């Protein structure tokens, strides 16, 4: 398949930001159940980006990526449509989103789509760190993009601002990351509870993104699903219903209710 035809079919599916990288070797793949979906003889990975930022997401008590419609469903639908169109010319095309055996930021860099921040996130010129990554793995040999070896400006603001000091020397210590901790299902230690309070969000943590200079003056998404009125804040009453339509739904309501009670103990219904 020529590059022009690939772009046309992806554009027809509503995907306009993409790059192509070679299929990673077995030793670089992540161990997950979705790994069994990789087509036999996989040769190429089409890496697709789905920006979600809009000014409406600036204020709230959950991470901005969770304010919009569940990206698992939104991105999944775009990728599935693209696979249908691409398979019409022959070959196997399999979509992956989030639960992927392919390291997403790493493959996006190999596809020449941006650079990597000290917080581990992909940075693009148009959308900063505010994009979801999806992949289409195929047994077709496609034209690869030039791998990106660029890094962020290195200002260190994310390291300084991180409430748990989880960003150190370009690596993330998950046991100190507020976003990782407030998603845990188990009971939290006193130190972990304090980190949730320091972060100030019921779900996730956006501090490292908000202080990043690469996220200044970025473009608003053009994806219709992410432009619909967001849910910027949750309450004790709305959490059980919102888990059905937002990205945090896979964890169920208990972690969010626990975090909400830590942040707003006076407003919880007993």
């Amino acid at each position: 398949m020529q590059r022009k035809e690939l772009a046309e079919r992806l554009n027809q599916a509503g995907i306009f930001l993409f790059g192509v990288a070679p299929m990673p070797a077995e030793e670089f793949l992540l161990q997950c159940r979705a790994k069994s979906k990789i087509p036999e003889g996989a040769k190429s990975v089409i890496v697709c980006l789905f920006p979600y930022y809009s000014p409406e997401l600036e204020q709230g008590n959950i991470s901005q990526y969770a304010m919009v419609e569940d990206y698992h469903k939104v991105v999944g639908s775009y990728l599935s449509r693209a696979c249908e169109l691409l398979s019409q010319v022959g070959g196997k095309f399999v979509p992956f989103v989030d639960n992927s055996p392919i390291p997403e930021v790493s493959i996006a860099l190999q596809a020449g789509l941006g650079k990597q921040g000290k917080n581990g996130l992909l940075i693009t010129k148009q959308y900063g760190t505010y994009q979801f990554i999806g992949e289409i793995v195929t047994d077709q040999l496609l034209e690869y993009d030039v791998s990106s070896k660029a890094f962020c400006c290195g200002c260190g603001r994310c390291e300084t601002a991180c409430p748990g000091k989880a960003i150190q020397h370009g690596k993330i210590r998950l046991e100190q990351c507020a976003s990782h901790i407030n998603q845990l299902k188990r009971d939290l230690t006193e130190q972990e509870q304090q980190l949730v309070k320091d972060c100030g969000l019921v779900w996730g943590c956006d501090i490292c993104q908000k202080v990043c200079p690469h996220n200044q003056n970025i473009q608003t998404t053009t994806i219709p699903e992410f432009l619909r009125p967001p849910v910027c804040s949750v309450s004790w009453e709305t959490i059980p219903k919102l888990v059905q339509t937002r990205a945090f739904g896979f964890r169920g309501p208990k972690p969010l209710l626990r975090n909400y009670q830590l942040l707003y103990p006076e407003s919880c219904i007993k």
Side-chain angles (χ1 to χ4, degrees):
M1 185 186 304
Q2 297 298 314
R3 181 70 176 214
K4 181 179 179 181
E5 184 174 12
L6 173 63
E8 288 175 347
R9 290 179 181 269
L10 289 174
N11 292 171
Q12 189 177 346
I15 299 173
F16 300 94
L17 295 173
F18 71 92
V20 181
M23 179 67 191
E26 172 70 25
E27 59 265 29
F28 295 110
L29 297 178
L30 303 176
Q31 298 304 314
C32 64
R33 281 181 287 184
K35 186 178 177 182
S36 61
K37 295 170 53 182
I38 296 175
E40 185 176 353
K43 295 183 178 66
S44 307
V45 182
I46 306 168
V47 188
C48 307
L49 301 184
F50 300 85
Y52 64 90
Y53 175 80
S54 74
E56 292 185 69
L57 307 182
E58 286 298 335
Q59 300 295 329
N61 66 3
I62 56 176
S63 184
Q64 292 177 332
Y65 82 89
M67 296 178 183
V68 298
E69 291 188 28
D70 188 347
Y71 74 92
H72 300 91
K73 298 177 181 178
V74 174
V75 172
S77 66
Y78 277 86
L79 294 177
S80 295
R81 175 58 177 158
C83 288
E84 292 177 5
L85 294 169
L86 292 169
S87 63
Q88 292 174 2
V89 297
K92 297 178 181 178
F93 296 85
V94 180
F96 293 92
V97 54
D98 191 30
N99 182 27
S100 172
I102 301 173
E104 293 188 322
V105 173
S106 175
I107 200 68
L109 295 173
Q110 290 182 58
L113 290 172
K115 50 192 173 183
Q116 187 170 12
K118 286 191 173 184
N119 56 5
L121 299 178
L122 176 71
I123 300 171
T124 63
K125 184 177 181 180
Q126 308 101 308
Y127 301 102
T129 59
Y130 294 99
Q131 57 258 315
F132 301 118
I133 304 172
E135 307 87 48
I136 297 174
V137 177
T138 177
D139 58 0
Q140 301 299 293
L141 183 60
L142 304 175
E143 179 185 349
Y144 302 143
D145 287 283
V146 178
S147 177
S148 170
K149 297 181 180 180
F151 292 93
C152 66
C153 65
C155 67
R157 293 180 189 175
C158 59
E159 294 175 301
T160 302
C162 177
K165 305 305 176 187
I167 308 171
Q168 299 184 17
H169 309 295
K171 295 183 179 180
I172 309 299
R173 297 189 178 186
L174 286 180
E175 71 276 7
Q176 297 172 223
C177 174
S179 180
H180 173 74
I181 289 171
N182 67 20
Q183 296 182 41
L184 295 173
K185 288 187 174 182
R186 62 168 171 78
D187 292 336
L188 303 183
T189 66
E190 289 187 10
Q191 184 177 3
E192 290 170 339
Q193 291 178 26
Q194 186 59 51
L195 186 53
V196 172
K197 295 177 183 178
D198 293 341
C199 167
L201 295 186
V202 178
W203 178 266
C205 180
D206 288 334
I207 292 175
C208 68
Q209 296 191 87
K210 288 188 173 182
V211 300
C212 178
H214 295 285
N215 283 331
Q216 305 303 311
N217 302 315
I218 57 176
Q219 297 178 23
T220 295
T221 180
T222 59
I223 297 177
E225 292 87 343
F226 296 148
L227 285 172
R228 293 171 184 165
V231 175
C232 296
S233 292
V234 298
S235 68
W236 184 266
E237 295 83 5
T238 61
I239 287 172
K241 184 176 181 179
L242 286 172
V243 295
Q244 303 175 32
T245 62
R246 289 298 181 268
F248 48 68
F250 75 102
R251 282 296 193 196
K254 289 185 178 181
L256 287 99
L257 291 171
R258 175 201 62 207
N259 300 337
Y260 191 90
Q261 189 168 20
L262 286 172
L263 293 173
Y264 313 103
E266 72 287 345
S267 64
C268 295
I269 299 175
K270 300 294 184 179

